Short mmCIF file of all heavy atoms in Angstrom, two decimals:
data_model
loop_
_atom_site.label_atom_id
_atom_site.label_comp_id
_atom_site.label_asym_id
_atom_site.label_seq_id
_atom_site.Cartn_x
_atom_site.Cartn_y
_atom_site.Cartn_z
N ALA Q 52 -14.92 4.81 -12.96
CA ALA Q 52 -14.99 4.20 -14.29
C ALA Q 52 -13.72 4.44 -15.10
O ALA Q 52 -13.63 3.97 -16.23
CB ALA Q 52 -16.20 4.74 -15.04
N GLY Q 53 -12.76 5.19 -14.53
CA GLY Q 53 -11.54 5.46 -15.27
C GLY Q 53 -11.73 6.45 -16.40
O GLY Q 53 -10.95 6.47 -17.34
N ARG Q 54 -12.78 7.26 -16.33
CA ARG Q 54 -13.04 8.25 -17.37
C ARG Q 54 -13.16 9.62 -16.72
O ARG Q 54 -14.26 10.04 -16.34
CB ARG Q 54 -14.33 7.92 -18.12
CG ARG Q 54 -14.23 6.61 -18.86
CD ARG Q 54 -15.57 6.21 -19.41
NE ARG Q 54 -16.05 7.18 -20.40
CZ ARG Q 54 -17.24 7.10 -20.96
NH1 ARG Q 54 -18.05 6.14 -20.62
NH2 ARG Q 54 -17.61 7.99 -21.85
N PRO Q 55 -12.06 10.35 -16.55
CA PRO Q 55 -12.11 11.66 -15.88
C PRO Q 55 -12.80 12.74 -16.70
O PRO Q 55 -12.93 13.85 -16.22
CB PRO Q 55 -10.63 12.00 -15.66
CG PRO Q 55 -9.92 11.24 -16.70
CD PRO Q 55 -10.68 9.97 -16.92
N ASP Q 56 -13.26 12.42 -17.90
CA ASP Q 56 -14.00 13.40 -18.69
C ASP Q 56 -15.34 13.75 -18.05
O ASP Q 56 -15.93 14.78 -18.39
CB ASP Q 56 -14.24 12.86 -20.09
CG ASP Q 56 -12.94 12.42 -20.74
OD1 ASP Q 56 -11.93 13.08 -20.48
OD2 ASP Q 56 -12.95 11.43 -21.47
N PHE Q 57 -15.80 12.90 -17.12
CA PHE Q 57 -17.04 13.20 -16.42
C PHE Q 57 -16.93 14.46 -15.57
O PHE Q 57 -17.95 15.00 -15.14
CB PHE Q 57 -17.42 12.02 -15.53
CG PHE Q 57 -18.24 10.98 -16.21
CD1 PHE Q 57 -17.65 9.89 -16.79
CD2 PHE Q 57 -19.61 11.11 -16.28
CE1 PHE Q 57 -18.40 8.94 -17.43
CE2 PHE Q 57 -20.37 10.16 -16.92
CZ PHE Q 57 -19.77 9.07 -17.49
N LEU Q 58 -15.71 14.94 -15.31
CA LEU Q 58 -15.55 16.15 -14.50
C LEU Q 58 -16.14 17.38 -15.20
O LEU Q 58 -16.56 18.32 -14.54
CB LEU Q 58 -14.07 16.37 -14.20
CG LEU Q 58 -13.46 15.34 -13.26
CD1 LEU Q 58 -11.99 15.60 -13.08
CD2 LEU Q 58 -14.15 15.40 -11.93
N ASP Q 59 -16.19 17.36 -16.53
CA ASP Q 59 -16.84 18.45 -17.26
C ASP Q 59 -18.32 18.52 -16.90
O ASP Q 59 -18.86 19.60 -16.64
CB ASP Q 59 -16.67 18.25 -18.76
CG ASP Q 59 -15.22 18.31 -19.17
OD1 ASP Q 59 -14.46 18.98 -18.47
OD2 ASP Q 59 -14.88 17.69 -20.19
N LEU Q 60 -18.97 17.35 -16.88
CA LEU Q 60 -20.38 17.31 -16.49
C LEU Q 60 -20.57 17.80 -15.07
O LEU Q 60 -21.52 18.53 -14.76
CB LEU Q 60 -20.91 15.88 -16.61
CG LEU Q 60 -20.90 15.26 -17.99
CD1 LEU Q 60 -21.44 13.85 -17.91
CD2 LEU Q 60 -21.73 16.06 -18.94
N ALA Q 61 -19.64 17.42 -14.17
CA ALA Q 61 -19.75 17.85 -12.78
C ALA Q 61 -19.64 19.37 -12.67
O ALA Q 61 -20.36 20.01 -11.89
CB ALA Q 61 -18.67 17.17 -11.94
N LEU Q 62 -18.74 19.96 -13.47
CA LEU Q 62 -18.59 21.42 -13.44
C LEU Q 62 -19.87 22.11 -13.90
O LEU Q 62 -20.33 23.09 -13.28
CB LEU Q 62 -17.40 21.81 -14.33
CG LEU Q 62 -16.89 23.24 -14.23
CD1 LEU Q 62 -16.58 23.59 -12.80
CD2 LEU Q 62 -15.67 23.42 -15.09
N VAL Q 63 -20.48 21.60 -14.96
CA VAL Q 63 -21.73 22.19 -15.46
C VAL Q 63 -22.84 22.05 -14.43
O VAL Q 63 -23.63 22.97 -14.20
CB VAL Q 63 -22.11 21.55 -16.81
CG1 VAL Q 63 -23.48 22.00 -17.24
CG2 VAL Q 63 -21.10 21.91 -17.86
N TYR Q 64 -22.90 20.88 -13.76
CA TYR Q 64 -23.92 20.68 -12.73
C TYR Q 64 -23.73 21.65 -11.58
O TYR Q 64 -24.71 22.17 -11.03
CB TYR Q 64 -23.86 19.24 -12.21
CG TYR Q 64 -24.81 18.31 -12.89
CD1 TYR Q 64 -24.68 18.03 -14.24
CD2 TYR Q 64 -25.84 17.70 -12.19
CE1 TYR Q 64 -25.54 17.18 -14.87
CE2 TYR Q 64 -26.72 16.84 -12.83
CZ TYR Q 64 -26.56 16.58 -14.16
OH TYR Q 64 -27.42 15.73 -14.79
N ALA Q 65 -22.47 21.92 -11.19
CA ALA Q 65 -22.23 22.85 -10.09
C ALA Q 65 -22.70 24.26 -10.46
O ALA Q 65 -23.35 24.95 -9.66
CB ALA Q 65 -20.74 22.85 -9.73
N LEU Q 66 -22.39 24.68 -11.68
CA LEU Q 66 -22.82 26.02 -12.14
C LEU Q 66 -24.33 26.13 -12.15
O LEU Q 66 -24.92 27.10 -11.64
CB LEU Q 66 -22.25 26.30 -13.53
CG LEU Q 66 -20.76 26.53 -13.66
CD1 LEU Q 66 -20.32 26.32 -15.08
CD2 LEU Q 66 -20.43 27.93 -13.23
N MET Q 67 -25.00 25.12 -12.73
CA MET Q 67 -26.46 25.20 -12.85
C MET Q 67 -27.15 25.09 -11.50
O MET Q 67 -28.22 25.66 -11.30
CB MET Q 67 -26.96 24.11 -13.79
CG MET Q 67 -26.63 24.40 -15.23
SD MET Q 67 -27.32 23.16 -16.30
CE MET Q 67 -29.04 23.40 -15.99
N ASN Q 68 -26.53 24.38 -10.55
CA ASN Q 68 -27.10 24.27 -9.21
C ASN Q 68 -27.13 25.64 -8.54
O ASN Q 68 -28.15 26.06 -7.98
CB ASN Q 68 -26.24 23.30 -8.41
CG ASN Q 68 -26.83 23.00 -7.07
OD1 ASN Q 68 -28.03 23.13 -6.87
ND2 ASN Q 68 -25.98 22.62 -6.14
N PHE Q 69 -26.03 26.36 -8.63
CA PHE Q 69 -25.96 27.69 -8.01
C PHE Q 69 -26.94 28.66 -8.68
O PHE Q 69 -27.70 29.37 -8.01
CB PHE Q 69 -24.53 28.22 -8.12
CG PHE Q 69 -24.37 29.62 -7.66
CD1 PHE Q 69 -24.63 29.97 -6.35
CD2 PHE Q 69 -23.95 30.61 -8.55
CE1 PHE Q 69 -24.48 31.27 -5.93
CE2 PHE Q 69 -23.80 31.91 -8.13
CZ PHE Q 69 -24.08 32.24 -6.82
N ILE Q 70 -26.96 28.66 -10.02
CA ILE Q 70 -27.85 29.59 -10.73
C ILE Q 70 -29.31 29.28 -10.44
O ILE Q 70 -30.13 30.17 -10.23
CB ILE Q 70 -27.54 29.54 -12.24
CG1 ILE Q 70 -26.15 30.10 -12.50
CG2 ILE Q 70 -28.55 30.33 -13.02
CD1 ILE Q 70 -25.69 29.90 -13.90
#
Side-chain angles (χ1 to χ4, degrees):
Chain Q
R54 297 172 63 185
D56 307 324
F57 272 94
L58 291 177
D59 297 333
L60 297 179
L62 192 53
V63 172
Y64 266 64
L66 290 161
M67 287 184 63
N68 186 25
F69 174 62
I70 293 171

